[in-house]
Amino acid sequence: MRIVDLSKKLYPGKEQRRCQIWRFTYASGEYMHYIDLESHVGTHVEAPSHYIPARYGRPAEDVSELPLERLMGEAVFWDLSGVERRKVLKPEDVEVEIREGDIVLVGNSPYRGPDRPQFSEELIRWLVDKKIKLIGVDDSVIITPRSREGLPGKLEDLIEHELFLGNGIPIVEQLTNLDKLRRKRFLFIGFPLNISGLDSSPIRAVAIEDAKLIEVKE
């Protein structure tokens, strides 16, 4: 097996989002730390409770309630290294076979900022209809269909949250090292902290290439 770390390393005090640690001495003198993190810092997974309660006023799964089976399994990588600048991605652009129950990772385009390729609403609906179980992206692709002037202004504009999270499909953002993958299919694992009530959590996302994937039959 070959393990590829798909998680960003965080540097306390140097991240754009809140990430701080404080060391203290405990008991016999050993070191421990207090940790102060934004739930969406670094490579993180978003649960339905990130969006559904705010949008509809009803409860939804938090990260501690997500079945672990939804956060691991057979994954497929859609490599955008050859995509054109500012491409609006549609179902006909998908270059890999996507099966029901797949974890789908997308990214590795050569662009950043407003030049990045962007998911279309049509693509999001198509992926939901395919019954994927998790979607993951790096910083080289925009997952929210929108104008390139800035963030959407309303909850109802977050189409990817509406369709993915509304259908129980967790969203992983800020993946890294997708360019180091050698296989289109592999085992993916990305478990969050088991903290009740948390809408999102940093994860240690890994790809395990050449692992023997076991098909479980009822």
Side-chain angles (χ1 to χ4, degrees):
M1 296 186 296
R2 176 176 179 262
I3 296 177
V4 182
D5 190 349
L6 303 179
S7 314
K8 289 185 175 180
K9 185 173 181 177
L10 297 175
Y11 295 90
K14 298 181 180 179
E15 302 297 325
Q16 289 184 337
R17 293 182 171 179
R18 190 163 179 163
C19 176
Q20 297 285 351
I21 62 173
W22 293 273
R23 192 178 75 180
F24 65 95
T25 302
Y26 182 76
S28 301
E30 65 271 34
Y31 290 142
M32 295 177 68
H33 285 85
Y34 294 111
I35 304 172
D36 184 7
L37 296 175
E38 181 182 324
S39 59
H40 292 244
V41 70
T43 307
H44 61 276
V45 62
E46 299 175 358
S49 67
H50 170 55
Y51 177 78
I52 300 302
R55 178 77 168 92
Y56 296 106
R58 57 180 170 83
E61 293 170 312
D62 63 40
V63 293
S64 72
E65 296 167 329
L66 289 173
L68 295 182
E69 292 82 2
R70 212 179 300 169
L71 302 166
M72 68 172 293
E74 188 167 354
V76 61
F77 171 42
W78 180 12
D79 184 2
L80 299 180
S81 59
V83 75
E84 64 189 69
R85 175 176 171 268
R86 298 194 175 208
K87 174 75 174 178
V88 177
L89 301 169
K90 298 181 178 180
E92 56 265 32
D93 299 313
V94 178
E95 298 176 344
V96 292
E97 179 187 6
I98 295 178
R99 308 167 186 164
E100 181 176 340
D102 272 349
I103 290 169
V104 180
L105 307 186
V106 186
N108 194 37
S109 90
Y111 305 107
R112 295 296 183 271
D115 288 339
R116 292 174 292 172
Q118 173 179 295
F119 277 37
S120 65
E121 182 176 340
E122 182 184 4
L123 173 62
I124 295 171
R125 292 187 181 278
W126 183 82
L127 290 168
V128 171
D129 288 343
K130 282 284 188 178
K131 298 182 179 179
I132 66 171
K133 67 178 183 180
L134 182 146
I135 182 74
V137 295
D138 66 7
D139 293 336
S140 75
V141 60
I142 300 172
I143 194 173
T144 308
R146 63 175 185 254
S147 68
R148 296 177 184 272
E149 283 70 36
L151 293 172
K154 300 178 181 179
L155 275 174
E156 53 265 34
D157 294 333
L158 297 171
I159 301 301
E160 81 292 352
H161 285 55
E162 177 77 28
L163 296 176
F164 287 136
L165 298 181
N167 285 281
I169 301 170
I171 300 171
V172 172
E173 295 183 337
Q174 296 190 39
L175 290 166
T176 191
N177 293 330
L178 292 178
D179 60 316
K180 293 180 170 57
L181 292 170
R182 298 175 184 169
R183 301 284 186 268
K184 291 296 184 184
R185 286 196 167 267
F186 44 86
L187 177 65
F188 174 88
I189 302 173
F191 292 151
L193 297 171
N194 195 14
I195 299 178
S196 178
L198 202 60
D199 77 295
S200 176
S201 169
I203 61 173
R204 191 67 178 262
V206 297
I208 305 176
E209 296 182 328
D210 300 322
K212 292 183 178 180
L213 301 174
I214 301 173
E215 182 179 356
V216 179
K217 297 182 179 180
E218 298 292 339

